[in-house]
Amino acid sequence: MAADMAAGGPRRRLVHLDLKGAPPRAAYLAEVLPLLRALGASGLLLEYEDTFPYAGPLGQLRAPHAYSPGEVRAVLSQARAQGLEVVPLVQTFGHMEFVLKHKEFAHLREVKVFPNALNPHKEESRALVKAMIDQVMALHEGVKWFHIGCDEVYYLGEGEESKQWLQQQDNTPEKLCLSHIKAVASCVASSYPSVMPIVWDDMLRGMSEETLAESGVPQLVQPMIWDYAADLDVEGKVRLIEKYRRCGFSKVWFASAFKGATGVNQSLTLIGHHLKNHLQWLKVASSSPPDVLEGIALTGWQRYDHFSVLCELLPVAIPSLAVCLQALENGGYSEKTKENVEKLLGMSNLETETFMSLGTFPGSNILTLVTQVSFYLKSSVDELLERNRYVTGWFSPYHRKRRIIHPIIMQHFQPDAVSLLAKWNAVVQDLQAAMEQVFHACTVEEWMEENVHPSLQKLQRVLNIWASLYSVLPPPLTPLIGLGQ
């Protein structure tokens, strides 16, 4: 820890587990937690969304693959055993799609047709938030922090009740935002006086110091300043921290990213990008007063929001997480740090600017197979179907549609197509088996439909057309076939 503090690095390092997409099985998390601790993590930021085992009137928020109360307790117990502090995260304002998409809660939307933001004017909205917090806290006794979200509250002020409220003198969207944050934070403070609420800071950044200071919010919450860019503006962040201090915030958190921030459907993790992001955050830390920083959360987004596709799976991003954690713990990334990461992950030569696929860490087989699929599946199928002269010249979409196909043409590429399909089916079966050990069936199905099926189905369709023609062919002396003409 001495090197960490000497380098100005954050003492608390929370690994964010975004469980609203591809939530790992509890058994896999049990395998990963000791590794996270060994890599330098000091805690977890658990964002459950619809995977928390809500009960009673909130029971319908649970996804079919939600964790059971017993699984949550087991994960928390394992985290404690590893010395990992847990901070739960519950969205209470923006990103409320997992609640507001249900018709029973749709009347609590800020804008009637959009399920993302909560109406801050309704007493029932606050009751909903309190019920969610209470249920999560009941399983997370003894926590010191509770993250109440509040980022990206899109369309705030555009609901009918908000428009009426904003017509009153001195009312502004900023004050509307702050009043809801204050209400939620006050709810946490009154029910759990020893727990400090954390909020994402993006809704606060542009507000004046006067507006923030007068709201009373700085005395109630700690802001988590997030930025996932490789070229993060260090001086701008230092100025922002100074502003927050002047407004009355006692401490701030940083939020970096080890995955899920470089593309909405990214399948492989750009380690170099994320390492640069963390090295910039280390510069911010070393340029800030030593007593202002509470900690950093290394975010690992699994979806950009509730309705978007999956981005990198957790096992795929573990090398990136390892590099970033070790950089934070050691105040930089040296050859010695690299060697330590390689040793902990069972990797022979880790590179940050190229995609790596071999290791012995939990889920490393998924990384190996996802890398294979991402690099070669689509390209190999496209090579055969879009650049093979026999396909483009004699088996084009025009020919296939009209069933005008010379039988000898298929002999030039049909064996290659059959071989390619067999090869990829074997790889995909291995990947599916590996993924089923870590993820629920719905995650495997979604990832396959997005990343595998389009290419395999394209190849299968071509072979199906050939099979349907071949089954009604006369002896191969007939030079040209025009079925269905």
Side-chain angles (χ1 to χ4, degrees), residues 92-98 100-101 105-120 125 151-159 180 203:
T92 59
F93 204 0
H95 285 297
M96 289 282 283
E97 296 93 340
F98 78 103
L100 300 177
K101 70 179 183 180
F105 297 103
H107 64 288
L108 299 179
R109 297 173 178 178
E110 165 71 348
V111 177
K112 197 176 293 185
V113 294
F114 301 143
N116 57 291
L118 191 67
N119 181 335
S125 293
D151 61 317
E152 299 180 334
V153 190
Y154 299 134
Y155 313 111
L156 178 64
E158 296 182 22
H180 182 74
M203 298 299 291

Side-chain angles (χ1 to χ4, degrees), residues 372-374 376-382 384-386 400 416-432 447-465:
Q372 204 173 335
V373 166
S374 299
Y376 304 116
L377 171 56
K378 186 177 186 298
S379 61
S380 65
V381 171
D382 289 349
L384 181 70
L385 299 185
E386 295 173 18
R400 291 175 225 165
D416 290 341
V418 170
S419 173
L420 190 62
L421 185 61
K423 172 199 164 184
W424 282 117
N425 273 333
V427 171
V428 169
Q429 282 175 13
D430 288 346
L431 175 56
Q432 183 157 335
W447 199 90
M448 293 293 175
E449 285 194 20
E450 288 288 337
N451 298 282
V452 170
H453 291 178
S455 292
L456 289 191
Q457 286 170 350
K458 190 158 49 165
L459 189 56
Q460 186 68 62
R461 277 195 296 271
V462 167
L463 288 169
N464 288 347
I465 291 169

